[in-house]
């Protein structure tokens, strides 16, 4: 090229400006579609060479791709890099899809760092920066809401918020003369369902707006899948050297559990670090600059059947998707609401320590509780209860139903409960009523105030009192469907069930669709992902995808893990479907024996007359990874008998799947078939 690398860095902005001012823009047509004010790649290459910006066409292509990286230009459908070809490209307007606000003094993007002092790590001390009082007074209520759910405001959480809730984010420029904007698709909610819907649609050239009031990434990134799995990993590592010494000794490894120390503050710091590392993928900047989505940070409310307002601007849409997720519920108990509000309040003069948490605030903890009560024996309660116990907090689980993990087969759930009892978790699953909770007035040496809860147990006279310093409410979730003026959009909903959608995920307003926890009982990240894919086809391309056609596996990441897909035995019995059960136990699997992981088994539920797999459950080490193979078999209509022909590496626990297939095939070996086979062998020469 006509300049050195150093000159290139220095002059690129000037060259880009000349390119923008001199390139020819026209409305161009291709395959019956018109693309407004665009240019042709090969013509742009002609200009770059003729103007002297580059010495040859190859360098011009490199320069064009540099413009693309700068988000100065893009292919009209964002399908191609810059090429010397008859492809259409357009200029990306300034703040076309939303962007960081710029600090006039520094010329740099305004981020959460601007509101905090210098963040430095002090050796061997937990990083606990405080938010200055003036900064909180200057923030609007929405920003305070974000701050109180993300704590502490140290370097990792600052990185997180810069990505998923940047302060003073600039809304995209309006595209109508009256200050409104018009879109092919408006998505409300930027959890997994909303993100997939927005990115997938924008990727095929649809004009998309995405609205998020709180944190992009939703529960999964911020308060669900990502932080919980990072937390569980630390807990399992601690258990392997501190709580499972017998297993280690049998393997010839001896440790002194008394010398093993768990640094809870370091554990939580690692959780925040991993969450921050992953958050760029869900960031407002990536979705606006790289994926072509116009991002709004604010609360969206419907104003009619085909319009929504956000931050004072009206957005008109051809189609809309509501993907607002859900939130944890607080059970009725005198004093609970007040203590929960105290736990999530942020006092800039005092370090907040959550004492009553849900999954939304659990990962704000920095100090380790001594005694924790968990209300709720479902997936969230079990995963976090076992992890806290393994890290050194004594945990008591309370419930009403008499069992844990009520979705799963009872004998499988019992294996999980037995292991948790071995870990030290206490269970009381016969609570009739949660009456009161209050502070005792005593503050423990970990800084937590002590609490007292009064409950009534089934079949027991009088009341029972429990003393503890931390409470986790994991008693269920409610769809987030209020506060959007859904009535104005003619969208019917129920505060318990969520949006009322048909099998195509269409609401009572045919323009508007639902995705994820706000309209489905399958409250899983991967379910929202594939609901979003279904909605893209149905809403934009006259698709006929059905929610009922989705085959959704799921896993509980306790030790042992439980994973399931398809129908349970109780489902089949309710539907009057005859079935057979085939099981293989890990105590008979050679790899499980070698790994000292013999507890657990795989259970197939198969049609009574053929090898069609109707459902499968696995309990044991690595169950979550194993269920994928069974899901693939069911999705592709591969029967259990055919799985016997799939060669698995030896020795692996997944061989149990093939062995279950062998067990099925043996049932076809009737006395008559055996006689025929013996006859064939007998007459061979």
């Amino acid at each position: 090229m006509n300049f050195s690398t150093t000159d290139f860095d220095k002059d690129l902005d000037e060259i880009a400006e000349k390119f923008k001012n001199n390139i020819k823009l026209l409305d161009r047509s291709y395959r019956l579609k018109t693309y407004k004010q665009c240019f042709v790649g090969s013509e742009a290459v002609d200009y770059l060479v003729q103007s002297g910006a580059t010495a040859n066409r190859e360098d011009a292509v490199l320069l064009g791709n540099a413009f693309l990286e700068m988000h100065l230009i893009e292919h009209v459908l964002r399908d191609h890099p810059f090429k010397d070809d008859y492809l259409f490209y357009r200029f990306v307007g300034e703040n076309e899809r939303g962007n960081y606000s710029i600090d006039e003094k520094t010329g740099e993007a305004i981020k959460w760092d601007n509101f905090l002092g210098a963040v430095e790590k002090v050796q061997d001390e937990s990083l606990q920066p405080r938010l200055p009082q003036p900064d909180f007074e200057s923030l609007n209520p929405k920003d305070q809401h974000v701050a109180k759910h993300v704590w502490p405001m140290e370097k990792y959480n600052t990185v997180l918020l810069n990505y998923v809730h940047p302060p003073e984010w600039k809304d995209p420029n309006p595209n109508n003369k009256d200050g409104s904007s018009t879109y092919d698709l408006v998505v409300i909610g930027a959890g997994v369902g909303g993100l997939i819907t927005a990115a997938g649609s924008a990727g095929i050239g649809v004009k998309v707006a995405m609205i998020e009031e709180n944190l992009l990434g939703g529960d999964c990134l911020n308060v669900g899948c990502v932080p919980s799995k990072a937390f569980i990993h630390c807990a399992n590592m601690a258990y392997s050297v501190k709580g499972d010494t017998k297993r280690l000794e049998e393997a010839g490894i001896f440790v002194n559990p008394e010398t093993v120390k768990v640094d809870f503050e370091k554990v939580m710091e690692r959780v925040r670090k991993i969450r921050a590392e992953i958050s760029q993928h869900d960031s407002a900047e990536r979705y606006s600059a790289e994926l072509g989505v116009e991002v709004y940070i604010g609360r969206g409310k419907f104003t009619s059947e085909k319009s929504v307002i956000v931050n004072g601007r009206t957005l008109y849409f051809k189609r809309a998707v509501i993907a607002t997720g859900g939130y944890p519920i607080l059970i009725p108990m005198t004093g609970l609401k007040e203590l929960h509000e105290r736990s999530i309040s942020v006092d800039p003069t005092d370090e907040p320590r959550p004492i009553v948490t849900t999954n939304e605030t659990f990962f704000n903890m920095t100090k380790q509780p001594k005694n924790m009560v968990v209300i709720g024996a479902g997936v969230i309660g079990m995963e976090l209860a076992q992890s806290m116990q393994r890290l050194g907090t004594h945990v008591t689980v309370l419930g009403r139903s008499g069992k844990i993990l009520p979705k799963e087969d009872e004998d499988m759930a019992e294996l999980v409960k037995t292991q948790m009892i071995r870990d030290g978790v206490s269970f009381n699953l016969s609570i009739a009523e949660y009456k009161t909770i209050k502070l005792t007035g005593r503050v423990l040496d970990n800084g937590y105030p002590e609490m007292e809860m009064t409950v009534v147990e089934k079949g027991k006279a009088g009341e029972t009192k429990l003393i503890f310093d931390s409470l986790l409410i994991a008693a269920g979730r409610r769809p987030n469907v209020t506060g959007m003026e859904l009535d104005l959009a003619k969208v019917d909903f129920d505060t318990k069930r969520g949006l009322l959608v048909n099998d195509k995920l269409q609401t009572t307003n045919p323009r508007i669709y639902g995705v994820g926890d706000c309209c489905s009982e399958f409250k899983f990240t991967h379910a929202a992902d594939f609901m979003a894919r279904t909605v893209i086809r149905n809403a934009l391309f006259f698709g006929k995808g059905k929610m009922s056609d989705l085959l959704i596996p799921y896993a509980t990441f306790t030790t042992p893990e439980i994973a399931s897909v398809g129908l349970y035995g109780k489902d089949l019995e309710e539907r009057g479907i005859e079935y057979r059960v085939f099981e293989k136990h890990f105590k008979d699997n050679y790899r499980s024996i070698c790994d000292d992981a013999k507890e657990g088994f795989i259970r197939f539920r198969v049609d009574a007359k053929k090898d069609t797999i109707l459902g499968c459950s696995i309990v044991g080490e690595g169950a979550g990874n194993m269920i994928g193979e069974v899901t693939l078999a069911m999705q592709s209509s591969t029967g259990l008998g055919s799985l016997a022909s799939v060669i698995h590496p030896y020795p692996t626990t997944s061989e149990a799947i093939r062995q279950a297939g062998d067990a099925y095939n043996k049932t076809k070996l009737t006395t008559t078939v055996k006689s025929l086979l013996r006859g064939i062998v007998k007459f061979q020469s």
Side-chain angles (χ1 to χ4, degrees), residues 272-421:
R272 297 192 300 270
K273 177 175 180 287
I274 289 172
R275 181 171 62 180
E277 287 177 358
I278 294 174
S279 62
Q280 189 276 337
H281 186 267
D282 292 348
S283 67
E285 182 180 29
R286 175 172 178 262
Y287 270 73
S288 62
E290 297 180 22
L291 300 181
V293 176
E294 300 194 15
V295 177
Y296 294 82
I297 306 292
R299 173 174 280 271
K301 294 183 178 182
F302 287 95
T303 53
S304 75
E305 296 174 58
K306 54 183 179 180
S307 63
V308 64
I309 190 168
V310 55
N311 301 335
R313 182 185 301 170
T314 297
L315 312 183
Y316 296 100
F317 56 80
K318 297 177 182 177
R319 297 288 184 271
V321 172
I322 301 171
T324 47
Y327 58 92
I329 59 174
L330 295 179
I331 61 172
M333 178 164 49
T334 301
L336 178 61
K337 183 179 179 182
E338 291 75 15
L339 284 178
H340 179 255
E341 289 176 350
R342 166 180 172 157
S343 298
I344 63 176
S345 65
V346 174
D347 181 349
T349 65
D350 186 26
E351 176 187 339
R353 294 191 177 100
I355 54 174
V356 175
T357 66
T358 65
N359 72 292
E360 289 188 336
T361 50
F362 180 90
F363 300 104
N364 292 352
M365 285 196 297
T366 56
K367 303 292 185 181
Q368 183 165 16
K370 295 179 180 294
N371 295 284
M372 172 176 275
V373 167
V374 176
I375 296 179
V379 173
I380 294 172
M382 292 302 91
E383 288 183 351
L384 297 181
Q386 185 176 51
S387 294
M388 286 298 291
Q389 183 71 45
R390 290 184 163 195
L391 289 168
T393 295
H394 181 261
V395 178
T396 300
V397 176
L398 305 181
R400 297 177 182 271
S401 67
K403 55 186 178 181
I404 70 168
L405 302 174
K407 284 199 311 288
E408 306 298 343
D409 287 348
E410 198 163 335
D411 54 348
M412 290 190 164
E414 192 62 28
L415 284 178
V416 175
K417 182 181 175 185
T418 299
Q419 177 59 53
M420 291 178 68
I421 291 172

Side-chain angles (χ1 to χ4, degrees), residues 26 64 82 92 99 132 145 182 211 245 283 288 290 297 353 402-404 408 422 503 546 585 617 624 652 664 684:
L26 294 172
F82 184 77
V92 179
N99 207 341
H145 178 74
T182 302
I211 303 169
T245 54
S283 67
S288 62
E290 297 180 22
I297 306 292
R353 294 191 177 100
K403 55 186 178 181
I404 70 168
E408 306 298 343
R422 274 195 223 114
D503 205 17
K546 296 180 179 180
H585 288 251
S617 296
T652 57
Y664 171 82
Q684 289 182 3

Side-chain angles (χ1 to χ4, degrees), residues 45-62:
V45 170
D46 292 340
Y47 165 77
L48 291 171
V49 174
Q50 292 168 8
S51 67
T54 64
N56 53 57
R57 302 186 76 84
E58 290 77 14
D59 285 350
V61 171
L62 292 175

Side-chain angles (χ1 to χ4, degrees), residues 74-344:
E74 66 181 11
H75 180 256
V76 290
L77 296 178
R78 294 186 293 279
D79 284 345
H80 298 282
F82 184 77
K83 295 181 180 180
D84 185 3
D85 203 344
Y86 191 74
L87 295 171
F88 298 163
Y89 298 87
R90 61 182 290 272
F91 288 103
V92 179
E94 183 179 354
N95 194 42
E96 181 176 317
R97 301 187 184 115
N99 207 341
Y100 292 104
S101 294
I102 301 300
D103 189 318
E104 293 181 359
K105 294 181 180 179
T106 65
E108 296 180 353
I110 296 176
K111 298 186 177 182
W112 283 100
D113 313 59
N114 298 72
F115 300 101
L116 303 171
V119 179
E120 297 180 359
K121 181 74 172 84
V122 181
Q123 188 67 27
D124 296 327
E125 292 184 16
S126 178
L127 190 63
Q128 297 290 327
R130 304 174 188 274
L131 266 67
Q133 180 73 34
D135 290 336
F136 272 94
E137 288 180 344
S138 67
L139 296 177
N140 63 42
K142 294 184 179 64
D143 292 323
Q144 290 180 18
H145 178 74
V146 173
K148 76 184 181 187
H149 283 289
V150 177
W151 189 265
M153 287 294 284
E154 39 75 272
K155 57 183 178 181
Y156 298 123
N157 278 342
T158 302
V159 169
L160 171 76
L161 288 177
N162 284 338
Y163 281 134
V164 302
H165 192 95
E168 300 188 27
W169 177 260
K170 292 167 63 178
D171 287 342
N173 295 327
N175 56 35
N176 296 328
K177 291 182 180 180
D178 64 359
S180 65
S181 294
T182 302
Y183 295 94
D184 298 318
L185 178 68
V186 169
V187 179
I188 301 179
V192 168
L195 293 173
I196 296 295
T197 303
S201 301
I204 52 179
V206 175
K207 189 171 182 60
V208 182
M210 181 172 68
I211 303 169
E212 173 56 54
E213 179 184 24
N214 205 321
L215 307 178
L216 276 79
D219 273 15
C220 181
L221 170 67
N222 297 291
V223 296
C225 317
V226 170
S228 67
K229 300 313 166 281
F231 187 69
I232 290 169
H233 173 73
C234 293
N236 289 345
M237 290 182 71
Y239 178 74
S240 68
V241 295
K242 189 178 177 68
D244 202 11
T245 54
K246 182 179 178 181
R247 190 178 181 188
L248 287 174
E249 288 171 4
E250 289 178 351
I253 301 169
F254 294 85
V255 297
N256 181 357
E258 299 302 321
T259 64
V260 178
K261 177 187 175 185
V262 172
D263 186 337
F264 190 80
E265 294 182 17
K266 192 72 176 176
V267 168
M268 300 308 285
E269 182 183 51
R270 177 181 179 273
V271 170
R272 297 192 300 270
K273 177 175 180 287
I274 289 172
R275 181 171 62 180
E277 287 177 358
I278 294 174
S279 62
Q280 189 276 337
H281 186 267
D282 292 348
S283 67
E285 182 180 29
R286 175 172 178 262
Y287 270 73
S288 62
E290 297 180 22
L291 300 181
V293 176
E294 300 194 15
V295 177
Y296 294 82
I297 306 292
R299 173 174 280 271
K301 294 183 178 182
F302 287 95
T303 53
S304 75
E305 296 174 58
K306 54 183 179 180
S307 63
V308 64
I309 190 168
V310 55
N311 301 335
R313 182 185 301 170
T314 297
L315 312 183
Y316 296 100
F317 56 80
K318 297 177 182 177
R319 297 288 184 271
V321 172
I322 301 171
T324 47
Y327 58 92
I329 59 174
L330 295 179
I331 61 172
M333 178 164 49
T334 301
L336 178 61
K337 183 179 179 182
E338 291 75 15
L339 284 178
H340 179 255
E341 289 176 350
R342 166 180 172 157
S343 298
I344 63 176

Side-chain angles (χ1 to χ4, degrees), residues 1-5 8-9 12 15-16 19 41-42 44-46 48-49 53-73 81-85 89:
M1 300 179 75
N2 293 343
F3 37 79
S4 67
T5 302
F8 180 87
D9 292 337
L12 186 56
I15 295 169
F19 177 78
S42 57
V45 170
D46 292 340
L48 291 171
V49 174
T54 64
N56 53 57
R57 302 186 76 84
E58 290 77 14
D59 285 350
V61 171
L62 292 175
L63 183 56
N65 279 299
F67 293 157
L68 197 133
E69 288 294 320
M70 294 166 62
H71 307 297
L72 174 70
I73 66 172
F82 184 77
K83 295 181 180 180
D84 185 3
D85 203 344
Y89 298 87

